[in-house]
Amino acid sequence: PRCWWYAVAELTMRLYLTGLLSFFGSSDAPATTTQTSLGLLGAMIYYVVLSAYDPFIDPLDDLLAKVAAFQVMNAHVLRHDAASGGKRKKKKYNAGDPNGVWSGLAFSVACVAVGLSTLAVAVFLVFAGARDLRNAVVGAANYVSERFASQRPSTDEGRRATGGSSSPSDADASAPRAAGVAP
């Protein structure tokens, strides 16, 4: 990342969304509107920080991070809407699926749409960066081959190091002996 502190911000957000929110539940209702409200607040703060600083070097990485943060924010909006909507008729309800919202067709379609949008952005980024990746690999291969070529002794230096004569046939005959290989 371009910003040295971004890893700390990312880790704090992950701990907040997965660990801290669990302390706001109860034994009767492990998934409460308090949790979803605080999760939405944290996701919004994270999105604002991400948008303000653009911590990645590549702008396409910033775009992918923003799409993912936006999806987390939307998931909390949907969850808050589902948790706060409607009256609960039973005192003991299924906290994981209040009023059967999560098993409905609309929620399934929304989840598939969110997942497909992430996939579409990721595929776009892969194809957009394929040319840059190919150029980087070719550049790295050229750099490595140049470095190895510059460290190999030239034929004149090799002949002097092995004590051979200046004729090519003598240098070829003495090269295997210098490397410790029998002719």
Side-chain angles (χ1 to χ4, degrees):
R2 185 177 56 82
C3 299
W4 65 270
W5 53 265
Y6 180 71
V8 175
E10 178 73 24
L11 181 62
T12 302
M13 184 60 190
R14 289 180 187 192
L15 288 173
Y16 176 79
L17 287 178
T18 58
L20 186 63
L21 292 180
S22 64
F23 290 112
F24 294 101
S26 69
S27 61
D28 289 339
T32 64
T33 55
T34 305
Q35 284 179 321
T36 57
S37 299
L38 290 174
L40 179 59
L41 176 67
M44 290 171 77
I45 290 170
Y46 178 73
Y47 185 80
V48 167
V49 168
L50 185 65
S51 296
Y53 287 100
D54 288 333
F56 294 102
I57 295 170
D58 189 359
L60 294 177
D61 290 340
D62 283 325
L63 175 66
L64 184 60
K66 288 176 189 173
V67 168
F70 188 71
Q71 287 180 347
V72 169
M73 200 167 55
N74 282 337
H76 281 284
V77 167
L78 289 174
R79 176 65 181 111
H80 182 71
D81 186 43
S84 63
K87 302 273 184 200
R88 293 189 176 93
K89 296 180 180 160
K90 297 180 184 178
K91 182 146 179 108
K92 297 285 184 179
Y93 64 95
N94 184 358
D97 190 12
N99 299 326
V101 173
W102 302 118
S103 60
L105 179 64
F107 185 73
S108 299
V109 169
C111 287
V112 168
V114 166
L116 287 177
S117 67
T118 302
L119 179 64
V121 169
V123 167
F124 168 75
L125 292 177
V126 165
F127 285 119
R131 185 185 66 227
D132 296 334
L133 178 64
R134 185 174 44 248
N135 291 341
V137 168
V138 167
N142 289 339
Y143 175 77
V144 169
S145 65
E146 288 172 7
R147 290 287 291 184
F148 282 127
S150 68
Q151 292 184 6
R152 273 189 241 139
S154 67
T155 55
D156 290 339
E157 291 173 0
R159 281 184 227 132
R160 278 184 258 135
T162 59
S165 66
S166 60
S167 70
S169 61
D170 290 342
D172 291 340
S174 64
R177 284 190 292 264
V181 177

